[in-house]
Structures are given as C-alpha cells and as structure tokens.
Amino acid sequence: MDKIDAVIVGAGLAGLSCAWVLSGHGLQVVVVERGDFAGSKNVTGGRLYLKPIRNMASDMLDGAPFERKVVRERWSLLGSANSLSIDHTSDRFRGEDHSYTVLRARLDRWFSERLMARGVFVIPKYRVDDLLWENGAVTGIRSGAEEIPAHVVVAADGVLSFMARKAGLMPPLSPKSYAVGMKEVLELPEEKINDRFNVLAGEGAAHLFLGDVTKGVFGGGFLYTNKDTLSLGVVAGIGAMTGRIPAMDASTLLEMFKERYEMQRLLEGAKIVEYSAHVIPEAGYDGIGKLCGNGILLAGDAAGLALNMGVTVRGMEFAIASGIAAAETIVEARASGNFSEKGLSRYGDRLKGSFVMKDLEASRNIPGYLEKESFFSYYPETFPGLLEKIMWFDENPKGSLGKTLWKGLRSSGVLSVKRLIELYRIKNI
C-alpha cells in the first residue's frame, strides 16, 4: 500500500499547525482526531501568547477567532478568610498584540476548517489503536481493521500520549508530574464583563489565584474573560491531592472557589454553558522525553512542552511552535528520503534554537520549587493577614506603622531563617 507523507494524530494546535505548514509545501497529510471535532477535547484555561510565535506563524492565524486582548494581569493570594490582589495594566499591554484569550473549541474548529479548505483531510471521531511498524520504524497508524501507512507519524495526541508511549519515547512519570484541571465556561453579557473587570470592548483580563482555592496544596485557580463568557477553573496537583489529609475530591474545589466572597460579584448572574476536565503536564523541562524516533515525532503536550511559571501558564504557543518545527523537519526528511531518528533529529535542534526549549530550560527549577507547600498555604495566609493588621483600626491605640509592620513580620515567621532561605532561593528559579 502506498504511503502518504505524514499522518498527524491529534487535531489540537500542535497537530493543526504541523498540517498547515506541510500542506503549504505540497505534502500529502491526514489529521485524525478522537473527539467529535477539532477542539472538542481541548481544555486549556484560555490564553495564547502571540509575540513568541508571530514571525514563525506568518499568516497561519490570520482572521483567527480570538476572544479578547489581555490588557489586565491580576494575581490573588487567597487566605482562608481574606485575600490580597495585585492588578497590573500598562500602555504596552494595551498597545500591542501580546496575548489573547481563546476558546479552544472555537479556535481549533476554525483552524481545522481552514485546513480542509486547503484540501487537508481532518478526520474526527477517529480512535487510533496502534502504530504500524516495519523494520523497527513507525510506518503509520491502525484503527480497528483500517490502516493509514505514512512515511512519518506526528504524535500530537496530548499529555497522556498513547502514541508516545507505544513508540517508547515518553517514560512513565510520577503523579507529581501531572495536575488535573477543571473548567467551566460561564455565559455573561459583554457589557457586564467590561464593567466588572474594568476593561473596554475587546479588552480582557487574566486572573490567577493561589492559596485557599486548592486548600493549601499545589495548584491554583484561573479566570479569563472572553467576549461574552468567562473561563473559570481550578488546577490541582494529582500527587498533592492524593497525599492530602483529610482527602478531598478535586471536583469540589471549583464549587468552593465559586462560593468565595471575592468571586461572587464577578460571577453574579453567569450561566454555565460548558464543563470539562483534563490532565495537565507539570514537570516542565525535566518531563520532556525523546522528541523523535524512527518515523515518529512528538509535538505539543505529547512531548511535555508546557510550563507552569507560577505567575502564568504557557503551552499553546509551545504547541504551535513545535508543530511548525516538526513540519519543517518532515519537509527536509522527505527531500532526503530519510525518516529515521537521525533524519528527524533536526527537530530537536530547531526546538533548542527557539524560545520553546530556551524558556523551558531557563525555568527548569520552577516545578521543584512549586512543590513547596508554603507557596500554597503559608504565604497566601500570611501576607493578606499582615495587610489586614496594618489596615485595621479600632478603639485601641494603633502605634506607628513601622512598629505594626515589624511586629506582624516577626509574629508571622517571615523573618525566620527557614522563610528567609526559602525566599532567597527564589533567585534560582
């Protein structure tokens, strides 16, 4: 049976980006997707950083259905009975196309339709059962009795990539390398979103939460503003949740988060129109396996290309960049007729020379640092409480601001050797 040039497993941003570049070079490519349509199984929080991929993506995302340009950055430390928030905006964020909120069901579906208009087959509801092999090399995929032979397979099938494990490229990782994300899309009129988040039409906010949202264990909450919906969710580390005493079902965290005082006004009158949950990679640079083998490449989450930086979460731009790099490598391999691991090794070189691996490697210590429970329990409780002491006035003499602050710092333990060392080590992340 004749082989097509490439079969891509997974119609997310990595797979679709790869297909776009390949089709632009005239290669025969097929994309298969397990979901009902492209984007139906993607559960990203909802933010795409455009700046890193602007040049390499060229016209690929022209006319994409982005939701809102992010012009406000918000972070909140949630104590059990108080909170402390930072709200940042600037002319630079408002004036440039830095990042946008997105709804993946809408964006990925638009992307796949654009590919199909180019003549690319994007096949939904297609479950891949196995890889085809020939002389130790991957030569296609199998679904039931149907086979699709190909010179190269691109595994873009997500964090728990079946293809990567079948090919022996991704070793098993521990539970602490993963988190579970739960997300709701809440319908809210556009004018109410503008008013509640203090933004103009077309502008949006990205808000991250640490602390009581996950009851003191690794993870956090997020809220992104879309045109007429909100993307609200909670991410909790699987390893942290399984070791928690008393045990807590992760799905209850989202409901408890929504009941917080800080959230009630923001969510008032919002109607749930979508609910989803998904596993998320959290290992960062050290969770990346082999990027290629004989006849196969890994892209996006399947390759472990995701980064939780604490102050923001990145992944979609990594997926797009890796899909483009994979496609460029396949074009070269086709020209030379060499689809072996050595022939595909330029893929890793491309990623190492791009922002993808440079940013992941620069932040490789972050996952280990974020394992410290104090960042999800002690600090979210301490700093809002310290500000509360400063701002509380009653019938008793207050004393000077300096003495109040000093007393609060000493009593909180922030000045202890343990905490000072912990804060000092931030420079290493």
Side-chain angles (χ1 to χ4, degrees):
M1 187 181 295
D2 291 338
K3 295 178 182 178
I4 63 173
D5 291 312
V7 60
I8 298 170
V9 182
L13 291 178
L16 296 174
S17 300
C18 184
W20 178 267
V21 176
L22 290 175
S23 63
H25 282 84
L27 274 67
Q28 186 181 14
V29 56
V30 171
V31 183
V32 297
E33 164 60 38
R34 187 163 59 94
D36 292 341
F37 56 88
S40 63
K41 289 187 173 294
N42 291 319
V43 189
T44 185
R47 182 181 190 173
L48 171 62
Y49 288 94
L50 281 182
K51 279 287 186 181
I53 58 170
R54 176 65 73 187
N55 292 333
M56 66 174 65
S58 186
D59 64 345
M60 187 172 69
L61 296 175
D62 285 359
F66 299 143
E67 294 296 310
R68 290 174 180 256
K69 179 166 70 174
V70 177
V71 301
R72 302 195 82 90
E73 302 276 1
R74 291 178 175 174
W75 302 272
S76 291
L77 295 178
L78 301 184
S80 56
N82 51 23
S83 62
L84 173 62
S85 296
I86 297 174
D87 186 345
H88 172 268
T89 188
S90 71
D91 291 343
R92 189 179 189 186
F93 276 77
R94 291 189 296 272
E96 298 188 38
D97 289 340
H98 175 252
S99 66
Y100 282 82
T101 58
V102 300
L103 291 170
R104 289 292 298 278
R106 183 176 297 169
L107 175 62
D108 293 17
R109 197 168 196 170
W110 166 87
F111 202 168
S112 69
E113 289 171 354
R114 199 164 183 227
L115 274 169
M116 288 187 283
R118 268 192 169 194
V120 176
F121 287 103
V122 181
I123 308 172
K125 301 180 182 179
Y126 194 100
R127 188 188 70 187
V128 178
D129 295 318
D130 210 343
L131 293 168
L132 301 180
W133 293 85
E134 185 178 314
N135 299 322
V138 176
T139 56
I141 60 172
R142 180 176 63 80
S143 176
E146 183 180 42
E147 296 181 351
I148 303 180
H151 289 293
V152 65
V153 171
V154 178
D157 51 336
V159 55
L160 299 178
S161 175
F162 175 71
M163 297 292 96
R165 283 163 175 75
K166 274 286 184 179
L169 300 179
M170 182 63 72
L173 298 175
S174 65
K176 72 177 184 180
S177 298
Y178 301 101
V180 59
M182 297 143 288
K183 172 188 168 186
E184 290 180 353
V185 176
L186 304 162
E187 190 175 66
L188 197 65
E190 182 178 356
E191 61 274 10
K192 288 192 176 181
I193 293 176
N194 296 344
D195 178 57
R196 293 180 188 182
F197 292 88
N198 193 22
V199 292
L200 300 176
E203 296 180 343
H207 197 159
L208 297 184
F209 305 81
L210 290 179
D212 190 64
V213 60
T214 54
K215 301 304 173 184
V217 302
F218 172 80
F222 61 84
L223 191 160
Y224 297 101
T225 57
N226 307 312
K227 287 181 180 177
D228 54 7
T229 61
L230 304 174
S231 293
L232 178 76
V234 172
V235 174
I238 292 177
M241 288 299 294
T242 55
R244 187 182 187 279
I245 300 175
M248 176 177 290
D249 191 314
S251 62
T252 64
L253 293 175
L254 182 54
E255 290 304 314
M256 297 172 70
F257 179 39
K258 290 164 63 178
E259 293 171 1
R260 291 267 320 193
Y261 169 84
E262 294 86 351
M263 307 306 297
Q264 290 177 10
R265 167 60 180 155
L266 296 178
L267 306 179
E268 183 181 356
K271 177 184 176 183
I272 300 175
V273 293
E274 180 184 317
Y275 177 84
S276 52
H278 206 271
V279 176
I280 300 168
E282 291 286 354
Y285 184 83
D286 292 332
I288 300 171
K290 288 184 66 177
L291 294 171
C292 69
N294 294 319
I296 186 169
L297 296 168
L298 310 186
D301 278 0
L305 305 178
L307 177 60
N308 179 357
M309 299 182 68
V311 294
T312 192
V313 179
R314 302 176 62 186
M316 282 189 280
E317 72 272 29
F318 292 167
I320 292 172
S322 66
I324 293 171
E328 291 171 344
T329 303
I330 293 168
V331 171
E332 287 181 353
R334 181 176 181 264
S336 66
N338 185 1
F339 294 95
S340 68
E341 181 177 341
K342 184 176 180 180
L344 297 173
S345 63
R346 279 280 294 145
Y347 174 53
D349 295 337
R350 280 189 164 89
L351 289 181
K352 288 177 182 177
S354 74
F355 73 92
V356 177
M357 286 301 190
K358 290 179 180 178
D359 286 359
L360 281 162
E361 187 169 13
S363 302
R364 70 182 304 169
N365 293 329
I366 288 180
Y369 205 75
L370 291 180
E371 289 178 8
K372 299 180 184 297
E373 191 174 306
S374 56
F375 287 96
F376 307 95
S377 57
Y378 173 77
Y379 292 109
E381 282 288 345
T382 297
F383 289 126
L386 182 59
L387 183 62
E388 184 176 302
K389 290 177 181 178
I390 293 173
M391 298 305 298
W392 180 262
F393 299 92
D394 56 23
E395 69 279 5
N396 298 310
K398 184 68 175 180
S400 69
L401 175 62
K403 288 183 177 180
T404 302
L405 177 60
W406 182 253
K407 183 178 179 181
L409 288 171
R410 291 189 63 184
S411 63
S412 68
V414 172
L415 300 179
S416 68
V417 173
K418 176 183 178 180
R419 299 304 177 193
L420 290 175
I421 292 174
E422 197 169 65
L423 293 172
Y424 173 75
R425 287 177 176 167
I426 287 178
K427 68 181 178 64
N428 297 322
I429 64 171

